[in-house]
Amino acid sequence: MANPTPLSTGSTIRRVWLGQMLFSAGHALTTGGFLSYFTNPYFRGFSLAFAIFQVTPEAAESLSIVTRWIVHRLGHPRQVWWGALLLARVFALVIPGLVLLGGVPGRYDTMLVIIIGMGMWYLFQGISFTAYLSWLSAEIPEINWGRMLASRSVAISLVTIIMTWTASQLVDWTVRELGWNRELVYPFLFVAGGSLCLLSIVPLLPIGRSNS
């Protein structure tokens, strides 16, 4: 069976841009103010635990230096990218899960679960992003890297602003007009955000398929 025809550089960059838009839309719903609003109460009065929680994402992502080792043992960075992204979103569900299950603020076991879940989430997300860059740098000619990265930056900025504003308005509307509990709206937003992050895989699947 013949290999699929490779995509042109322009088509590849457009797919990267679309994938980044979807990921940024989902990421905006699961980080920043939305994440802080629902996690901060669990650490109220526990400054050391809260400090650990705050540095966990950066510390976990720094461990993504193991990505090269993982790629060498598991195969192509394309597979490592989407596999690690899937695992990241699974661990991210720990936080809305605690909200739905009635996790009690101020309990050490609850705080520990949040910190571990957050750490695994950002560890796999860092591995995914590192593998993503490694993979795309091999698929897109070096002369077009600037165009690709600029397109990603534009997508990130525009979508993050739009989605953050839209989601905050939606939360306020559901609370004000429908009488929903704000704490219950969050898990739905979080799951929707995670779904958008996973959906960002789809536009990129045809890239490099003939070589992987």
Side-chain angles (χ1 to χ4, degrees):
M1 182 177 178
N3 287 333
T5 303
L7 297 173
S8 67
T9 298
S11 179
T12 298
I13 291 176
R14 285 191 293 273
R15 286 179 175 276
V16 170
W17 192 77
L18 177 57
Q20 187 61 58
M21 287 184 67
L22 290 169
F23 182 85
S24 296
H27 196 59
L29 297 179
T30 56
T31 56
F34 294 108
L35 179 64
S36 298
Y37 178 85
F38 288 96
T39 54
N40 288 2
Y42 288 95
F43 295 89
R44 190 164 294 145
F46 296 86
S47 56
L48 178 59
F50 185 65
I52 294 173
F53 167 75
Q54 291 286 351
V55 302
T56 293
E58 288 76 14
E61 283 192 326
S62 69
L63 297 177
S64 63
I65 56 174
V66 302
T67 303
R68 183 178 179 183
W69 181 87
I70 294 173
V71 170
H72 282 173
R73 281 150 184 81
L74 297 184
H76 198 280
R78 181 172 180 267
Q79 280 70 49
V80 175
W81 155 65
W82 66 258
L85 180 57
L86 179 59
L87 287 172
R89 301 321 305 183
V90 169
F91 280 106
L93 291 175
V94 167
I95 296 173
L98 279 175
V99 176
L100 289 174
L101 294 174
V104 179
R107 288 186 51 161
Y108 286 107
D109 55 349
T110 302
M111 291 186 284
L112 182 61
V113 168
I114 292 175
I115 291 172
I116 292 175
M118 175 80 76
M120 298 302 291
W121 168 13
Y122 275 86
L123 169 61
F124 283 110
Q125 186 164 283
I127 291 172
S128 174
F129 181 64
T130 304
Y132 168 88
L133 291 180
S134 174
W135 165 48
L136 289 183
S137 66
E139 297 293 337
I140 298 176
E142 186 175 353
I143 194 173
N144 297 111
W145 289 358
R147 179 182 167 194
M148 179 191 74
L149 294 174
S151 298
R152 284 188 68 257
S153 296
V154 170
I156 292 171
S157 300
L158 289 177
V159 175
T160 299
I161 292 172
I162 293 171
M163 284 301 296
T164 302
W165 182 84
T166 302
S168 63
Q169 295 299 309
L170 178 62
V171 170
D172 289 342
W173 183 83
T174 55
V175 172
R176 183 179 63 252
E177 301 296 333
L178 302 180
W180 289 13
N181 188 315
R182 190 179 295 268
E183 282 69 25
L184 293 180
V185 177
Y186 166 72
F188 291 105
L189 280 179
F190 201 101
V191 171
S195 300
L196 285 170
C197 288
L198 291 178
L199 190 61
S200 71
I201 295 174
V202 176
L204 279 68
L205 287 178
I207 300 175
R209 181 174 291 170
S210 59
N211 299 322
S212 59

